Amino acid sequence: MIVCSCNALTNHDIADAVRRGASRPKEVYASKGCKAQCGNCVPGVVCALRSLVRERKENAHLFQQAEQGAGAAAFA
């Protein structure tokens, strides 16, 4: 889905930027070599960015818990 029509920025572009460490809108745009033009997309970019960052943190936390559980089972 296109989130920013000025720059043809898609939800996949935002997800890729988050996977590479982006946590701010400016970093998302920079990952595509562009800037916000008219600004109408910024709320959508922020919403997608927050959701993806939160999801990434939750997944990392779950992975860490699973890893700790596997380590504890190895010592049991």
Side-chain angles (χ1 to χ4, degrees), residues 25-59:
K26 184 177 182 177
E27 296 166 344
V28 171
Y29 291 106
S31 75
K32 287 290 287 180
C34 61
K35 297 179 184 178
Q37 301 295 315
C38 70
N40 285 332
C41 61
V42 175
V45 170
V46 169
C47 182
L49 184 59
R50 285 180 180 163
S51 176
L52 289 163
V53 167
R54 182 176 52 247
E55 182 179 305
R56 185 174 185 184
K57 286 180 182 178
E58 288 171 359
N59 288 341

